[in-house]
Amino acid sequence: MKIGVPKEIKNHEYRVGMTPAGVRELCASGHHVFVERLAGAGIGLSDEDYRKAGAEILPDAEAVFAAADMIVKVKEPQPQECQLLRAEQILFTYLHLAPDPKQAKLLMESGAVAIAYETVTDANGRLPLLAPMSEVAGRMAVQVGAYCLEKAQGGAGILLAGVPGVAAGKVAVLGGGVVGLNSARMAAGLGADVTILDKSLPRLAEIDALYGPRIKTLYATTEAIEKAVFDADLVIGAVLVPGANAPKLVSRAMLKQMRPGSVLVDVAIDQGGCFETSHPTTHADPTYVVDGIVHYCVANMPGGVARSSTYALTNATLPFVKQLADLGWRGALASNPHLRAGLNVVDGHIAHPSVASALGETLFEIHQLF
């Protein structure tokens, strides 16, 4: 199969869809990989690195899209990239379509087969291609939250770790999944006073067994969320409903009862955000203030540590890329139900139940394909 890796064009997005090591694996299996010129330059991967791995370097995105049977990316295609897609071409990347009807419409019109990293599952119902970036985003959330708490950044001037004789900052983490647990671990490692809230009692029991009193656990009732948010210096939104819009857990009215200079970090912003006052921001302009509360809502947080993120992502995606290349999309989806769960758009229709529901589209029944 001919596989294309274009350069990412989203604001401050330096990740790349595949490392040279990934290219080498695919070429060794008899596939042909096209990489756009300077696609990996932002993280120190040269065109020569890709050539040595077996890739052919093409001058621009137009050439890559035209040459490839499958496009492997990191972030959702921008409108100009959607225009380059064609019928039956495979697009394998993060899509996050539920809050993005414009992108969904463009993908449907393209006729491409769009498979989303974030809805691919594993045997335990987890999301293996979302997990590595969730780990990165969860750990970053505490870093950026601590920075935003500095007075010069609009925060209250609080050091999360505290110092002898001064109380540590308080962190509330909404959601005990991969993002939430990594956030809580980082915050506890700094010495912050950490509370994690989730609706799964087994998950809370697991966290308690692992971390004991270092991380407090609360069942996520409306009252518990309100009390934790009002008492926190830093609130991290880490909830996820696969393929669907994130639930709004913090209303604008609640901001008025938070301490001025507190910080909200909305890691769920790719799925619409879990704070009512959230809207996507960029690494170039990451924060804004509503009612005295600092909001950090960067939609591609792991892009801030692009080199680490690229290697972590390729480690996870490569087996699925290889399966799609070896068997074609129909063969791969027929043989692997977990990869099949990643199918979001096919034949001009939405094929994932949660995405179709969020967008108000008629669901395409996947069984019609096989």
Side-chain angles (χ1 to χ4, degrees), residues 127 130-136 138 175-183 203 238:
L127 305 171
L130 193 61
M133 295 303 94
S134 295
E135 290 165 352
V136 171
V178 177
V179 170
L181 182 57
N182 277 272
S183 294
R203 182 59 168 170

Side-chain angles (χ1 to χ4, degrees), residues 66 93 106 119 137 148 157 176 181 186 195 210 228 254 265 273 324 332 368:
T93 188
L106 290 172
T119 62
C148 290
L181 182 57
M186 285 289 287
T195 301
L210 286 170
M254 290 170 65
V265 176
L324 285 164
Q368 299 177 51

